[in-house]
Each structure stands twice: as structure tokens, then as C-alpha cells.
Amino acid sequence: MSSSPSSPLSRRTIFIGDVHGMLDELKLLLDEVDLQSGDRLVFLGDLVDKGPDPLGVVRHVRDLSTRDDLETHFVRGNHEDKHLRYYRNLSERPKIARQQAVSASGLTGFHEQADEDDWAFLHTSIPYLKLDDLNLLAVHGGIPGNMTELPALNDYLTASGKDRNFFKLVWITRYVDRTSGHVVGLGQEAENDPFWAEVYDGRFGHVVFGHQPFMEGPSQFPHATGIDTGAVHGGTLTALIVPSPERSDWLTVSVPGKRYSPPLGGSEDD
């Protein structure tokens, strides 16, 4: 491992797809990646739920974020958002929190084990990460076809209600309406409604994303790369290593996962 940080032009940016509580696999993947001083590490969300040790994953990523030799970013996924809404609703809208606990697995157990440091770290997650030096955008889900500009991150800190729901689109998007480009709920897409990355035109740069499991390996689109390779469904856990803006320089590293969860079922819990 290098003893001093790499220059901004030579450092690696490492994107990691949906971990979903698979701490052993995450540690193995990081060993395979061979983290180096100066690396920029970007987690694409959904650290929690489905796998055996979601809290362990959160704490491991939190520890990585405290290392002075790494630059670590945590992009929010729909599963982090679900837990944070539950955390907020317990004090603000307990009836809604009870309904959440019935409809979404894993909420109460995680909440009972997590401490305030864990919740503080979950609150540091951001809706997206724009990397201008690489002309890349990191999101959990995707970009709706009708989104003409990215909502400013500073606005997210003060947004509430419907305004905050606008940010939610980048961590829930899968399919979009073939005519309007609006997000279509999972399981509600019509036969001709495309997956968002099939029609994304690169307006915000090349997008690296998770959320949608590609069981055959990372999926390349003209202006996007999907690296959720379904580890928790029995696929693999994948890291995308980007040393430069040239896509020919990019490489992926994967380790085997285990089937802790069935394939997508068409609910928010996915």
C-alpha cells in the first residue's frame, strides 16, 4: 500500500454495488480490490436489509469513512431511505411507523440494534455524487427521462415533503414511461416501457448505478453502467474500478454472493 496519497490524476475511484448486509463478501471484495492510499471509494446504496449482517456493513463502511487515506462517499439507496423514514416516523408519526414495520421486513430488528452513531452515519448519505473530474454521476437507481436538471444537493438538506420526493426519484428509478419519461413503479411497467438506462442520453454524464440486479454481471449501456450483480440473490458482489475517464481503462472485480433473498418481487422492499 502506498505511504502517501496519490495525485488526483492518478488515483482510483472504486464504485461498489448493493451490499445488502453481506459483510463477509464486502470484506473479501475490498481485499480483492486492494485499497490504496488516495483511493476514492463510492458506495452506491442499499448497504442494509436482506443479508445476514446489515448493521455490520454499516459500521464497516462508517469505519472506512474515518480513514484519512481514503475519500469515502455513501450514496443513499431506497433501503436506507426506508429505514430513515421509519426512524423519523417513530417520533413524528408512530402510526405510520407501525404500518411500515408490518409491510417492510427488517425495520424493527435493525432499529433495536442500531445506536445513534449508526443513525448519524445513515443520515450522511447523499442522493447522488457528481464527479466532474471523470464526467461521472453516481446514483443508486437511475435518471427519469423527464428529469431535465439535477436537484441541487444543498436543497436536499432543507427539503421536506413533496420537495424531498423529487430527490427520491434518483434512488427508485428502474422503468420509465415510453412517452413521458416519468418513473413507472416496479411491476407496473407496460411491455414497451424501457429500462431507464436504455434511453438515457448522457445529459448528466455517464451514470454508474446499482438498484437493478444484473445476474449475468455488470451491464453496459451507452451512457450508464449498472454494477448491482445480485449478490444477495446468489449472484456476485461487484466493484467497478475507474482510474481515468477513459472507459477502456475501467475494470470490474467480483466475489461470489449467496442467495439470502429471492429475486425482485415488485414491491418497495426491493
Side-chain angles (χ1 to χ4, degrees):
M1 181 176 290
S2 173
S3 60
S4 61
S6 306
S7 71
L9 294 178
S10 63
R11 68 174 175 174
R12 305 184 304 172
T13 300
I14 301 162
F15 301 90
I16 295 181
D18 303 38
V19 182
H20 277 305
M22 303 179 72
L23 180 59
D24 291 343
E25 288 81 1
L26 174 59
K27 289 180 177 179
L28 181 60
L29 180 63
L30 292 172
D31 286 343
E32 292 293 319
V33 166
D34 187 21
L35 287 178
Q36 302 167 15
S37 181
D39 281 343
R40 178 165 53 189
L41 193 55
V42 182
F43 288 90
L44 295 179
D46 281 8
L47 301 182
V48 298
D49 290 341
K50 299 187 179 182
D53 194 2
L55 189 56
V57 170
V58 169
R59 289 175 175 173
H60 192 67
V61 175
R62 188 182 75 197
D63 289 344
L64 289 168
S65 73
T66 66
R67 284 178 48 172
D68 292 334
D69 62 332
L70 298 175
E71 178 187 329
T72 302
H73 300 272
F74 175 18
V75 175
R76 183 172 299 187
N78 55 301
H79 282 263
E80 283 82 27
D81 179 63
K82 178 180 64 177
H83 281 271
L84 289 168
R85 284 187 287 112
Y86 179 70
Y87 177 82
R88 184 172 64 250
N89 285 335
L90 281 172
S91 58
E92 297 180 2
R93 299 187 298 173
K95 182 178 178 180
I96 299 297
R98 288 193 295 271
Q99 293 172 352
Q100 281 183 273
V102 170
S103 63
S105 60
L107 285 176
T108 56
F110 184 90
H111 182 83
E112 289 168 357
Q113 297 177 56
D115 59 30
E116 288 305 311
D117 289 337
D118 301 320
W119 289 111
F121 181 65
L122 288 175
H123 275 101
T124 67
S125 58
I126 54 178
Y128 64 83
L129 178 67
K130 191 78 168 69
L131 300 174
D132 292 327
D133 56 325
L134 296 172
N135 192 30
L136 289 178
L137 176 68
V139 303
H140 176 67
I143 303 298
N146 63 324
M147 182 176 282
T148 57
E149 61 180 359
L150 283 173
L153 286 178
N154 287 340
D155 292 342
Y156 180 73
L157 298 176
T158 57
S160 60
K162 291 183 179 179
D163 291 334
R164 183 164 288 229
N165 285 339
F166 185 52
F167 289 89
K168 183 177 180 179
L169 296 176
V170 296
W171 62 70
I172 67 168
T173 296
R174 281 194 175 99
Y175 292 92
V176 296
D177 183 273
R178 61 188 180 277
T179 302
S180 68
H182 284 87
V183 175
V184 177
L186 181 62
Q188 300 175 8
E189 66 274 10
E191 183 178 355
N192 294 327
D193 288 336
F195 185 71
W196 75 270
E198 295 172 344
V199 293
Y200 171 65
D201 59 8
R203 68 189 65 180
F204 304 128
H206 193 90
V207 176
V208 182
F209 66 99
H211 193 45
Q212 175 68 24
F214 297 102
M215 300 301 292
E216 300 304 316
S219 190
Q220 298 284 348
F221 299 89
H223 301 289
T225 301
I227 64 167
D228 175 5
T229 48
V232 78
H233 306 301
T236 60
L237 184 63
T238 293
L240 171 67
I241 301 175
V242 177
S244 81
E246 299 298 324
R247 291 180 65 181
S248 59
D249 294 337
W250 299 5
L251 60 95
T252 58
V253 176
S254 299
V255 298
K258 296 178 182 177
R259 186 182 171 101
Y260 292 106
S261 174
L264 297 180
S267 71
E268 181 191 6
D269 210 29
D270 292 321

